């Protein structure tokens, strides 16, 4: 079997990536055992993704005893009670804050684990995102032992040209190596935040008017327009974690509360989805993480 970037992987790794190995063993009533018969740590990694960075990170932090679970799918199933030795969460920061769906999920979640870790991906400026997650998760009664950030391609189209972003070396293998080592020793640590970063976040809130209690939460009908380039392929109906797109006799329509995750705009093959109010640096450039297929984004987000 081959990965999306062409490397060979075993059936065992493929099952692990699909989250089937641990789930399958559990369904058969089998404990997770190593070949020597010792008990192993079961890890669950929860993720939210628009353009694949967080799914890639979640996969890279998974071992053979890890179950990867998409937050939009858990919300769809109404599944909030999870138990494992270790539970992690990987999400993209939006205005340094968690996506709205991640906030709402953590408020309802009952996560039972000896060790909880969070990895926040960002593209350019993380500011006080670590402290923000600490506060949000504590308020939800679910504090995390380890919180760190990781820089990746910035998918924010109004400020960045995706063709340029992909050329920048963001030292992703080094970040993954550092985080893997920390998790292996169950490090209890929160990445530090400077006073300047706190002030920058406060400045962002003031300038943008974004509500710190909800983060980005828009209406897709106000944010996006669909142009005549649309070919009714239906991709947007499957990649949106809010299920905001539908194919109608009058063409594609979008409506509903919107995370502003950009899964729709980046994954439309015709570049037929456009911002109504914001300009783009390069309207011809779109992004999806090079290791993540469109199929995986659909599997993660389809409603
Ligand atoms: C609405 C929105 C807001 C964002 N805000 C920030 C930000 O404040 N700081 C930053 O460095 N990156 C920001 N980004 C970039 C993403 O956090 C980053 O590209 C992330 O890795 C995307 O993850 P994904 O591919 O899993 O969706 C933002 C992206 C979006 C769509
Ligand atoms: S993904 Fe783009 S081309 Fe396909 S149906 Fe949606 S708007 Fe149209
Ligand atoms: S409409 Fe687009 S930006 Fe909004 S939640 Fe759906 S995929 Fe994300």
């Amino acid at each position: 079997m081959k990965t999306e970037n062409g490397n060979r992987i075993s059936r065992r790794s493929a099952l692990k990536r699909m989250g089937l190995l641990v789930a399958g063993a559990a369904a058969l009533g089998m404990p997770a055992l190593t070949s020597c018969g010792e008990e192993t740590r079961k890890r669950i990694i929860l993720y939210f993704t628009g353009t694949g960075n967080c799914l890639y990170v979640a996969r890279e932090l998974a071992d053979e005893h890890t179950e990867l679970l998409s937050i939009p799918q858990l919300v769809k199933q109404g599944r909030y009670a999870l138990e494992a030795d270790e539970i992690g969460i990987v999400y993209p920061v939006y205005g340094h804050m968690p996506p709205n769906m991640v906030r709402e999920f953590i408020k309802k979640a009952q996560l039972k684990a000896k060790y909880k870790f969070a990895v926040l991906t960002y593209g350019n400026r993380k500011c006080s995102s670590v402290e923000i997650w600490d506060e949000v998760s504590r308020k939800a009664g679910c504090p995390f032992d380890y919180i760190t950030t990781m820089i990746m391609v910035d998918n924010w189209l109004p400020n960045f040209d995706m063709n340029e972003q992909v050329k920048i070396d963001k030292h992703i293998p080094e970040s993954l190596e550092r985080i893997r080592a920390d998790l292996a020793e169950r490090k209890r640590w929160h990445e530090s935040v400077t006073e300047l970063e706190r002030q920058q976040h406060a400045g962002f809130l003031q300038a943008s008017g974004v509500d710190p209690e909800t983060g980005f939460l828009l209406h897709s009908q106000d944010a996006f327009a669909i142009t005549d380039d649309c070919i009714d392929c239906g991709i947007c109906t499957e990649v949106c974690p809010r299920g905001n797109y539908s194919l109608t006799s009058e063409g594609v329509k979008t409506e509903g509360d919107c995370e502003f995750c950009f899964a729709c705009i980046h994954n439309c093959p015709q570049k037929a989805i456009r911002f109504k109010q914001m300009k783009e640096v390069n309207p011809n450039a779109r992004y999806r993480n090079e290791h993540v297929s469109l199929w995986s984004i659909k599997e993660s987000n389809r409603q």
Side-chain angles (χ1 to χ4, degrees):
M1 190 170 297
K2 283 192 169 184
T3 59
E4 284 142 13
N5 54 354
N7 298 327
R8 286 207 169 275
I9 56 168
S10 67
R11 179 174 158 72
R12 188 177 174 82
S13 314
L15 287 171
K16 180 195 79 184
R17 285 172 188 215
M18 299 290 297
L20 294 177
L21 197 59
V22 171
L28 294 170
M30 290 157 57
L33 298 176
T34 63
S35 51
C36 316
E38 287 168 16
E39 266 202 70
T40 55
R41 295 175 184 180
K42 182 191 168 191
R43 181 181 286 174
I44 288 177
I45 304 183
L46 312 166
Y47 69 93
F48 179 97
T49 193
T51 56
N53 287 349
C54 293
L55 174 52
Y56 174 65
V57 171
R59 282 178 179 164
E60 288 295 310
L61 298 179
D63 64 19
E64 59 195 295
H65 308 290
T66 302
E67 193 177 5
L68 296 185
L69 296 171
S70 141
I71 290 175
Q73 295 308 316
L74 292 174
V75 170
K76 186 177 164 185
Q77 295 156 13
R79 193 175 156 202
Y80 294 96
L82 297 161
E83 184 171 357
D85 298 306
E86 302 172 350
I87 298 183
I89 189 164
V90 186
Y91 70 77
V93 305
Y94 296 162
H96 328 122
M97 296 173 282
N100 186 270
M101 192 177 279
V102 173
R103 283 174 193 256
E104 294 306 313
F105 174 83
I106 205 71
K107 279 186 203 164
K108 294 187 190 165
Q110 296 155 279
L111 305 184
K112 214 170 150 196
K114 291 186 204 89
Y115 181 70
K116 292 204 283 298
F117 62 93
V119 179
L120 323 183
T121 78
Y122 72 103
N124 185 57
R125 206 174 69 151
K126 62 188 165 67
C127 291
S128 49
S129 48
V130 166
E131 285 184 352
I132 293 168
W133 180 247
D134 186 39
E135 198 186 323
V136 167
S137 56
R138 263 177 211 287
K139 257 195 199 165
C142 185
F144 277 63
D145 302 294
Y146 175 89
I147 312 177
T148 194
T149 62
M150 180 171 159
I151 189 165
M152 303 191 76
V153 161
D154 200 314
N155 65 2
W156 177 252
L157 291 165
N159 284 26
F160 300 102
D161 178 343
M162 296 303 109
N163 295 344
E164 295 304 319
Q165 274 292 303
V166 293
K167 291 183 199 157
I168 302 170
D169 183 359
K170 303 226 178 181
H171 302 282
I172 291 166
E174 292 87 336
S175 297
L176 287 170
E177 207 48 46
R178 167 181 68 83
I179 297 168
R180 275 193 208 104
D182 289 347
L183 299 186
E185 63 171 75
R186 284 197 178 167
K187 189 167 169 180
R188 291 174 193 273
W189 172 78
H190 291 184
E191 193 178 302
S192 62
V193 171
T194 65
E195 190 46 41
L196 177 64
E197 287 176 319
R198 282 184 204 109
Q199 284 169 13
Q200 284 173 335
H201 177 64
F204 160 79
L205 287 178
Q206 207 173 22
S208 67
V210 172
D211 181 348
E213 293 304 316
T214 53
F216 279 82
L217 186 63
L218 289 83
H219 296 298
S220 62
Q221 64 271 28
D222 301 334
F224 299 109
I226 294 121
T227 72
D228 291 343
D229 292 327
C230 172
I231 52 166
D232 295 339
C233 69
I235 288 172
C236 52
T237 66
E238 295 192 89
V239 297
C240 174
R242 289 269 186 174
N244 286 349
Y245 284 83
S246 52
L247 292 173
T248 75
S249 53
E250 290 155 20
V252 171
K253 297 271 179 259
T254 184
E255 188 173 13
D257 286 343
C258 170
E259 300 288 327
F260 224 37
C261 70
F262 290 9
C264 54
I265 192 164
H266 277 289
N267 286 298
C268 170
Q270 293 293 106
K271 302 186 183 79
I273 300 175
R274 299 285 173 187
F275 295 115
K276 276 190 171 169
Q277 291 163 18
M278 298 192 305
K279 284 207 161 53
E280 296 180 40
V281 174
N282 182 353
N284 291 316
R286 291 292 181 263
Y287 172 73
R288 186 173 63 249
N289 186 287
E290 60 177 330
H291 305 285
V292 173
S293 68
L294 180 58
W295 185 88
S296 295
I297 303 281
K298 289 180 182 177
E299 282 296 290
S300 301
N301 291 352
R302 188 187 287 119
Q303 294 301 297

